[in-house]
Amino acid sequence: MAFDACVSKKAGAMALTAVAAVSLTSIPAHAHPNRPTGRHRTMAVPARAAAPPGRRQPSGLSALAWTVADADTGRVLAARNPHRQLAPASTLKTLFAVTVLPKFSADRVREVSSADLAGLGAGSSVVGVRQGQSYQVADLWHGVFLRSGNDAVHVLASMNGGWSATAREMQQTARKLGAHDTTVKSPDGYDEPGQVSSAYDLTVFARAGLANADFARYCSTAHAKFPASGGAEIENTNRMLVGSHGLSRYPGIIGVKNGYTSKAGNTLIAAARRNGHTLIATVLNPQSGEVNGVYKEAGALLDWGFNSVDEADPVNRS
């Protein structure tokens, strides 16, 4: 059930296009992973409501699901299939970070064992963590955020009590945040049967993460030294953040996380701050086949949001 939605203050009427009645919730305000929130209230969206004069909705997007939301207020400005359950790929690492990052100081050191790296999926993205070498926790988080390193995730999960225990804790964190579309099977986002999330839930995780200064710093880092041979510099794979592969750095970009698997396709959570507003665009699995399509669609949503945020109310009101 696809729809675009926003509410114009000036018109005082809801604007959206839908093929059937659906419901959409606003992002929980100041969501906290350690505070139970319960299932959030929803507002039924009537089918084929008329759009207010002069207000155009985001168009030309091929993603199976997307949202654009105000990170400061939690207002969902527009969305398509926000609760559709899809494979998230490495965008699920946002939930991993929200769950695990506060537990270990950045300067804590871990000597990596073979057990830490056991079960690393074939074809996983890695940053180059090596058995027998010692790493500060900050190094491992750089590996997670910049290179989407599943090896770094495995080490941090091992520190957190193990792979399965971390997946269960992530599931609990998702529910506490009011994210009900997510099922966690693999903390690194690697494709596993039954592992799903949604554009809505991933936006919730990003918003909760950005409230943590360490998360915000890691997710916005474009380059960092990693203790591999020679202390090589690593570059963030988020092309929208770095400005690479034919893309310019998006104005005001502050992260958050990109991903790709054969099942999930390209996925992206992008946050940017301009003119006093912080917006989050989440894009799942564009179908256009265009080079850099996921970044271009996220950029188009952010552009639309920054042009509309002062005139748009949330899709639903409390």
Side-chain angles (χ1 to χ4, degrees):
M1 295 179 290
F3 67 94
D4 299 333
C6 87
V7 178
S8 168
K9 290 181 179 178
K10 184 175 180 180
M14 182 171 295
L16 43 103
T17 303
V19 296
V22 295
S23 64
L24 178 66
T25 54
S26 60
I27 305 300
H30 306 296
H32 192 288
N34 296 318
R35 184 186 307 125
T37 61
R39 187 173 290 273
H40 20 273
R41 288 177 290 181
T42 63
M43 173 179 173
V45 179
R48 302 193 181 280
R55 173 59 54 195
R56 297 188 56 149
Q57 303 302 300
S59 61
L61 303 173
S62 69
L64 296 182
W66 53 261
T67 62
V68 57
D70 187 324
D72 299 315
T73 66
R75 300 184 308 162
V76 177
L77 304 179
R80 179 177 189 252
N81 294 331
H83 293 291
R84 181 172 176 177
Q85 293 178 310
L86 296 165
S90 286
T91 53
L92 193 65
K93 289 182 173 77
T94 55
L95 176 59
F96 174 74
V98 168
T99 304
V100 177
L101 195 155
K103 295 187 176 186
F104 307 111
S105 63
D107 59 358
R108 179 168 171 175
V109 175
R110 175 75 168 192
E111 182 177 341
V112 176
S113 68
S114 59
D116 289 343
L117 297 175
L120 191 64
S124 286
S125 55
V126 295
V127 66
V129 174
R130 297 180 179 178
Q131 179 183 337
Q133 187 162 338
S134 295
Y135 300 85
Q136 288 191 339
V137 163
D139 297 325
L140 296 171
W141 284 117
H142 282 138
V144 171
F145 278 97
L146 275 69
R147 301 301 297 176
S148 212
N150 291 356
D151 48 355
V153 174
H154 272 259
V155 176
L156 288 162
S158 184
M159 294 173 64
N160 190 55
W163 198 246
S164 296
T166 299
R168 289 193 296 270
E169 188 178 358
M170 288 170 63
Q171 189 71 71
Q172 294 166 359
T173 300
R175 296 300 180 261
K176 288 176 182 178
L177 287 170
H180 295 276
D181 305 323
T182 298
T183 299
V184 180
K185 300 291 186 180
S186 181
D188 54 8
Y190 189 82
D191 285 338
E192 293 287 353
Q195 178 152 276
V196 292
S197 191
S198 68
Y200 175 89
D201 283 10
L202 292 168
T203 304
V204 171
F205 306 149
R207 188 174 184 233
L210 289 170
N212 179 305
D214 292 328
F215 181 109
R217 183 175 67 257
Y218 288 128
C219 83
S220 65
T221 300
H223 301 88
K225 294 287 187 181
F226 189 79
S229 56
E233 184 177 85
I234 57 174
E235 181 176 87
N236 202 309
T237 58
N238 183 344
R239 300 175 184 182
M240 198 173 190
L241 174 66
V242 174
S244 66
H245 296 78
L247 289 178
S248 298
R249 179 180 166 95
Y250 186 83
I253 188 73
I254 54 175
V256 174
K257 190 71 191 76
N258 57 316
Y260 173 82
T261 67
S262 56
K263 182 177 180 180
N266 287 292
T267 61
L268 177 66
I269 309 168
R273 184 161 184 84
R274 281 162 39 192
N275 302 322
H277 295 287
T278 302
L279 302 185
I280 302 171
T282 301
V283 178
L284 299 181
N285 203 349
Q287 300 295 292
S288 67
E290 184 178 2
V291 175
N292 293 323
V294 73
Y295 300 104
K296 291 177 181 178
E297 294 195 16
L301 285 173
L302 290 171
D303 287 345
W304 179 91
F306 284 119
N307 288 330
S308 305
V309 64
D310 287 326
E311 301 178 17
D313 279 334
V315 172
N316 68 313
R317 295 174 182 268
S318 31

